[in-house]
Amino acid sequence: MRCSTEFNRATAERTNVNPIIDNPDHLAYRFNFQTENIEFLPVSRAAMRRAHSLSRQALGPQRQLAPVPLAELTPLLKDPDRAVEKNPPRFIFHTAFCSSTFLSRCLDADGACFGLREPQLLLDAANAKRLQWRSTTTGLDYRDLARLALILLQKHAAPAEKLVIKPINSVNNIVTELLQITGDGTALMLFTDARNFLLSTLKKGEGAKHTVRSMFDLIRCDFPHLAQLRLTDTIHMTDLKLIMTLWRLQIEQAQQALRSVAPRNRLASVYGERLIQDPLTTVRAANRFLELGLPDGHFDGIADSELLSADAKVDGARFSATRREQAYRKVEEYYGDELDNGLRWMVQSNPGTRLVPEFSNPLA
């Protein structure tokens, strides 16, 4: 099967451009590759702040998209007043299922920091690279789309605020490009170990397995030896083998990103379990590394707050490390030796792989 990306059709009439592109209550939601429009979604800053991801499902599928032709937005790339380097966004990159949403919420402080979680437009920029996309209506190609996305997203932070973006994990193929665009901006790379990734996926049920297969179908495109896998090849991979392969690919991709920017110390790694075990110290360290300027006292109540006791992604659900361990034990009891066999298969098939990886430049 050829590497492919699902594209969406425009759903609304063209409308007046300037009030949309400069209005913080209109999100540059996605890029329509077929029509070469960027489609804007009317949504308030408050709704964006509440959402665990900037998806139609989370923001409200009834909202109508307003398409703006790419040709009308390209002048923004040459406008010095819109340069993202002036107040560069900070990024929380991650390898999925490692508490990145929780960290993003902890660093979201009205008047100081504004968080955007999983904007679709950055995923579109990542997919444009996978497709080696080139515009048919402008002189742009995939290398320009990421910068344009950041220009359009930066308006959501007020002038005195820092913008903190937590992309979806499938954006990790453009980590280096995003850091180049932002000049002196800093970022974190969260990761988890093989066993936690496996148990976290399995405890979420069939929906998570489907999500992992979708993730794999995108991320394999970043690896030449996997890009031409046939559909039948992936169908015959067991759930456990596919979950483990996705985890390994993400770890390789994240480590490569750290190596590529290591000399400038702009990307620090964070083991996700550290956030669970010592949230206060970790969040304070993240605030300092990202240079967000929040006082240490701002985080004093995190350990006893709703942030730690609520599920960061599921409205109304509760979270605790104890409850998570209980769920993990049930998964281990259900799958039995199959889990250990899956982890052994990963190491035997990839001798250089560490089930608990060591990343460079750990967050101090």
Side-chain angles (χ1 to χ4, degrees):
M1 181 182 72
R2 288 188 178 273
C3 195
S4 62
T5 304
E6 181 181 358
F7 304 134
N8 299 294
R9 297 183 181 278
T11 59
E13 296 289 328
R14 289 186 183 180
T15 187
N16 191 18
V17 176
N18 288 331
I20 290 179
I21 64 174
D22 292 323
N23 186 342
D25 290 332
H26 274 81
L27 170 69
Y29 177 63
R30 69 185 181 191
F31 178 62
N32 187 312
F33 286 85
Q34 292 178 331
T35 63
E36 296 203 356
N37 292 327
I38 288 184
E39 299 173 348
F40 288 74
L41 192 69
V43 56
S44 68
R45 273 177 34 112
M48 289 184 228
R49 176 164 265 150
R50 288 193 302 270
H52 64 80
S53 72
L54 298 179
S55 64
R56 292 295 294 281
Q57 182 179 4
L59 297 174
Q62 74 282 357
R63 300 174 190 267
Q64 292 298 305
L65 293 167
V68 176
L70 185 62
E72 295 185 28
L73 297 169
T74 53
L76 303 182
L77 291 165
K78 297 181 180 180
D79 185 346
D81 292 332
R82 297 179 184 270
V84 294
E85 294 89 343
K86 289 186 174 182
N87 185 14
R90 278 61 167 171
F91 294 100
I92 300 174
F93 300 113
H94 61 97
T95 62
F97 307 152
C98 52
S99 303
S100 58
T101 302
F102 167 67
L103 177 59
S104 173
R105 289 196 184 281
C106 288
L107 297 176
D108 199 342
D110 193 23
C113 302
F114 186 80
L116 293 176
R117 287 172 277 278
E118 302 185 2
Q120 173 67 35
L121 193 56
L122 278 185
L123 177 56
D124 293 338
N127 287 336
K129 180 181 178 181
R130 292 179 174 113
L131 294 167
Q132 297 291 287
W133 169 81
R134 184 177 295 276
S135 172
T136 59
T137 60
T138 70
L140 305 186
D141 63 22
Y142 68 93
R143 291 167 293 191
D144 302 298
L145 201 52
R147 177 179 287 275
L148 183 58
L150 294 182
I151 288 172
L152 292 170
L153 293 174
Q154 68 183 348
K155 68 181 177 182
H156 299 295
E161 290 179 327
K162 301 284 192 253
L163 182 63
V164 181
I165 301 176
K166 191 214 86 157
I168 196 168
N169 58 309
S170 308
V171 168
N172 288 352
N173 67 318
I174 58 170
V175 167
T176 303
E177 289 91 333
L178 290 171
L179 291 179
Q180 287 173 343
I181 291 167
T182 56
D184 293 327
T186 50
L188 300 174
M189 177 63 76
L190 272 67
F191 68 96
T192 192
D193 59 86
R195 191 172 196 89
N196 271 295
F197 188 84
L198 179 59
L199 292 173
S200 181
T201 304
L202 294 175
K203 85 177 179 66
K204 292 178 175 69
E206 292 301 316
K209 293 177 186 177
H210 174 76
T211 297
V212 161
R213 286 188 178 272
S214 298
M215 289 179 185
F216 175 77
D217 198 43
L218 273 185
I219 291 173
R220 71 182 178 85
C221 300
D222 305 326
F223 296 82
H225 65 291
L226 295 175
Q228 299 304 318
L229 272 180
R230 297 170 300 172
L231 178 61
T232 52
D233 295 327
T234 56
I235 286 176
H236 288 105
M237 290 180 71
T238 66
D239 287 333
L240 265 64
K241 287 185 177 180
L242 193 138
I243 293 167
M244 287 289 86
T245 301
L246 173 65
W247 172 81
R248 180 179 62 81
L249 295 179
Q250 290 193 99
I251 294 299
E252 288 183 17
Q253 201 168 51
Q255 289 175 327
Q256 176 57 39
L258 280 157
R259 285 193 294 268
S260 70
V261 298
R264 298 187 60 188
N265 193 35
R266 294 178 54 210
L267 181 62
S269 61
V270 185
Y271 182 33
E273 290 302 294
R274 178 180 169 183
L275 268 168
I276 303 298
Q277 296 161 8
D278 190 0
L280 183 57
T281 301
T282 308
V283 171
R284 282 176 170 168
N287 170 54
R288 288 192 295 271
F289 183 81
L290 296 176
E291 299 178 330
L292 299 178
L294 295 169
D296 277 355
H298 173 80
F299 304 107
D300 285 347
I302 281 179
D304 302 314
S305 72
E306 179 72 11
L307 277 172
L308 194 60
S309 60
D311 190 300
K313 284 208 166 188
V314 182
D315 291 340
R318 312 306 296 168
F319 173 85
S320 73
T322 300
R323 187 178 286 114
R324 186 187 68 158
E325 287 307 312
Q326 291 171 346
Y328 280 2
R329 280 198 294 273
K330 289 181 180 179
V331 172
E332 290 172 324
E333 290 169 2
Y334 180 82
Y335 282 92
D337 292 341
E338 193 175 350
L339 290 180
D340 288 329
N341 291 338
L343 293 168
R344 266 195 301 273
W345 169 84
M346 171 56 61
V347 174
Q348 290 168 355
S349 302
N350 307 275
T353 298
R354 299 173 63 99
L355 296 181
V356 182
E358 292 185 1
F359 272 39
S360 60
N361 200 26
L363 183 69

